[in-house]
Amino acid sequence: WRWLEAELADNDAQVLLLGSGTQILPPEKPIQEKWSAYPASRERLFDLLARYNPPNLVILSGDVHYGEFLRMDCAGSNRSVVEATSSGLTHSCRSQFKFLCDFFLDTFELSRYHIGTFADDLNFGAIEIDWFDPVFFFFFLLVVFAVVF
């Protein structure tokens, strides 16, 4: 925690990418590992992020068998936190559950922070940053999920 706080306190980056092995934003999703299973740690992370308010924060996460985007508006701020989730290139919801995948995602994995659609087949995430227009950065991030053939 000390390292992360020191990095946030002494940060002048235009974009901050925060990586996590599991999803951070969604409190729902009863059958997957996520930060909300550790509420004190999740709250501590959110407190640090609120205190230092890094610009253009994007969370990169995984450990699920689908891709998705999540967005949470920050209380008392005009900023949002975006989370981009992708998981391994060898397993997907569609390859494991076939026709049950849509039911599984809509029933157990839908979060209040979910935006767009799920990438339920093999997928990966890529980031392209337009350094001349930081707002446009998020547009690029939201369209780069692709199916791997």
Side-chain angles (χ1 to χ4, degrees):
W1 289 108
R2 284 181 287 199
W3 173 86
L4 179 59
E5 183 167 11
E7 291 299 314
L8 290 170
D10 189 32
N11 180 18
D12 61 353
Q14 291 179 293
V15 175
L16 180 65
L17 303 176
L18 177 64
S20 172
T22 59
Q23 288 188 316
I24 294 174
L25 294 183
E28 308 90 352
K29 304 188 178 200
I31 59 174
Q32 78 179 44
E33 188 175 358
K34 59 204 165 292
W35 273 64
S36 64
Y38 312 98
S41 294
R42 184 173 182 259
E43 191 62 33
R44 188 172 183 182
L45 176 63
F46 285 167
D47 287 347
L48 280 175
L49 296 175
R51 183 178 320 138
Y52 295 105
N53 200 17
N56 300 317
L57 172 64
V58 178
I59 298 169
L60 305 173
S61 63
D63 198 27
V64 294
H65 295 269
Y66 55 86
E68 79 171 319
F69 292 100
L70 302 119
R71 182 182 59 231
M72 182 179 77
D73 295 328
C74 300
S77 171
N78 62 350
R79 292 188 180 172
S80 294
V81 176
V82 174
E83 182 169 347
T85 301
S86 183
S87 252
L89 293 171
T90 60
H91 295 83
S92 70
C93 178
R94 184 75 49 210
S95 70
Q96 291 183 304
F97 301 115
K98 310 233 184 303
F99 62 91
L100 292 175
C101 182
D102 292 331
F103 171 78
F104 171 76
L105 292 175
D106 291 340
T107 304
F108 299 109
E109 300 303 306
L110 202 55
S111 167
R112 71 184 101 172
Y113 302 124
H114 176 84
I115 54 175
T117 59
F118 289 105
D120 59 3
D121 216 330
L122 298 177
N123 66 86
F124 67 95
I127 299 170
E128 182 175 338
I129 299 174
D130 182 345
W131 293 109
F132 300 105
D133 187 357
V135 173
F136 201 54
F137 160 77
F138 290 110
F139 172 78
F140 279 121
L141 183 65
L142 294 174
V143 296
V144 294
F145 271 98
V147 175
V148 177
F149 296 99

